[in-house]
Amino acid sequence: RAYKTSTGVPDGKKYPCRECEYQATTKGNLTRHQATVHEGKKYSCDSCDFQATTTGSLNTHKQSRHEGK
């Protein structure tokens, strides 16, 4: 029986990328990795030329650079 670690992932459970050596601990992390690294997925700022690889990074950028303008 595989016991879960503090991250909630069973010991030793990995989701390997088929295109590189990356191994994710969740399917969601693997999906995000494939989209941003291998498919070039970017989230564009509507106020400048900044592009982020995650929506969280884009939101952080908008709050720190454009809030109050």
Side-chain angles (χ1 to χ4, degrees), residues 3 7 19 22 36 48-49 57:
Y3 291 94
T7 60
E19 299 184 46
Y22 178 79
T36 58
C48 70
D49 292 335
S57 294

Side-chain angles (χ1 to χ4, degrees), residues 1-17 21-30:
R1 177 178 178 204
Y3 291 94
K4 290 186 177 182
T5 64
S6 62
T7 60
V9 177
D11 289 335
K13 181 70 171 176
K14 300 286 184 194
Y15 298 87
C17 178
E21 298 295 316
Y22 178 79
Q23 291 190 20
T25 55
T26 68
K27 282 185 178 183
N29 287 348
L30 177 60

Side-chain angles (χ1 to χ4, degrees), residues 61-69:
H61 163 79
K62 286 180 176 182
Q63 289 174 352
S64 66
R65 301 292 180 167
H66 304 299
E67 195 165 282
K69 288 187 177 181

Side-chain angles (χ1 to χ4, degrees), residues 29-67:
N29 287 348
L30 177 60
T31 300
R32 183 176 57 235
H33 162 80
Q34 290 171 326
T36 58
V37 174
H38 300 298
E39 298 169 15
K41 175 76 174 171
K42 302 285 187 204
Y43 299 92
S44 298
C45 178
D46 53 4
S47 299
C48 70
D49 292 335
F50 179 79
Q51 291 187 325
T53 57
T54 66
T55 55
S57 294
L58 178 59
N59 289 336
T60 299
H61 163 79
K62 286 180 176 182
Q63 289 174 352
S64 66
R65 301 292 180 167
H66 304 299
E67 195 165 282

